[in-house]
Amino acid sequence: LRNSGEELLAVYHSHPNSAAVLSTKDILEAHYPDSAQIVVSLQNEQQPEVRAYRVVDGKVSDVELHAIV
């Protein structure tokens, strides 16, 4: 990506059995501070929850998501 001039906007993963909040491990492994960390919770399969965060120097802040359909 770096050599092509493209940028990483987000990294996502799922939490099949827990809420869409970053775990301590997620925060420690967030190596791209300029990219959103998107978490999809499948705890309630009928209503998946999606949340996004930015992690900079171990500090977590919410990122507002907008769906364009």
Side-chain angles (χ1 to χ4, degrees), residues 4-45:
S4 69
E6 296 179 17
E7 63 181 297
L8 182 64
L9 298 178
V11 176
Y12 86 94
H13 70 279
S14 64
H15 286 185
N17 299 309
S18 60
V21 294
L22 293 177
S23 68
T24 300
K25 182 179 177 184
D26 294 333
I27 295 167
L28 291 173
E29 294 180 356
H31 301 295
Y32 301 95
D34 294 329
S35 302
Q37 302 291 318
I38 298 174
V39 183
V40 179
S41 171
L42 304 173
Q43 193 172 23
N44 179 346
E45 292 179 9

